Amino acid sequence: MSTRRRKAAGLLAGVALLGFGGITPANAGVTAEGQFESEIKWWTAPTESRRWSDNNDTWDYTGIYFAGCRSDDDYRGYDYASLRLWKYVSYAPDRNKGTRDNHCGWVDYGDPDDAGTYYFSLVDVGNGDYIEIDYVKVAW
Ligand SMILES: [Ca+2]
């Protein structure tokens, strides 16, 4: 699929998500500075996401959306994934921008208000040790 077509698909997905669960975080809108969609195939802590560039052109919240969530705990199932937002810093420890539990929906980290390169890491899994997420959307 071309980049243009994938972007269009992402926007449509974002619009569809607005009606989901009755909660509409700022980053669910189509006006976010940037976004990407992905999936997670059996991550365990600590695993890091791909990185993205936040130019801080907007006040949009940074958020991570999960749908279709499983854990390797077949008996109890998926509970949450604890995700930490990081800002990459060269020649010094990366900056911790907050940790939130994702119960298979949106989690917001506010507006980092700090241009740079970002990623998130999986720091804990509620039930079991591994998670698989069919649909991941990151917006900033
Ligand atoms: Ca910003």
Side-chain angles (χ1 to χ4, degrees):
M1 200 183 289
S2 72
T3 300
R4 186 178 298 274
R5 288 194 59 183
R6 272 193 291 117
K7 276 186 176 164
L11 292 177
L12 289 173
V15 169
L17 293 174
L18 288 174
F20 190 85
I23 298 171
T24 307
N27 64 341
V30 296
T31 59
E33 180 182 328
Q35 63 180 53
F36 68 84
E37 296 167 283
S38 189
E39 61 185 354
I40 285 174
K41 290 289 189 188
W42 299 119
W43 283 16
T44 190
T47 303
E48 296 179 359
S49 75
R50 57 167 276 194
R51 298 178 176 210
W52 65 90
S53 293
D54 185 337
N55 297 322
N56 199 20
D57 289 334
T58 69
W59 298 108
D60 288 304
Y61 286 6
T62 293
I64 301 167
Y65 179 77
F66 279 5
C69 307
R70 284 177 294 283
S71 85
D72 64 326
D73 186 331
D74 292 331
Y75 183 69
R76 293 183 298 170
Y78 181 93
D79 184 7
Y80 65 87
S82 190
L83 307 175
R84 184 166 299 156
L85 180 66
W86 293 97
K87 183 191 178 193
Y88 166 76
V89 180
S90 59
Y91 302 113
D94 291 351
R95 194 167 302 147
N96 182 342
K97 291 291 192 173
T99 306
R100 303 279 185 275
D101 291 344
N102 191 317
H103 292 270
C104 206
W106 277 105
V107 290
D108 285 329
Y109 294 82
D111 175 15
D113 196 20
D114 189 4
T117 299
Y118 284 81
Y119 61 97
F120 68 85
S121 66
L122 176 65
V123 296
D124 192 25
V125 173
N127 287 339
D129 296 310
Y130 291 84
I131 57 167
E132 182 176 64
I133 313 297
D134 291 334
Y135 178 80
V136 177
K137 179 177 175 180
V138 178
W140 60 91

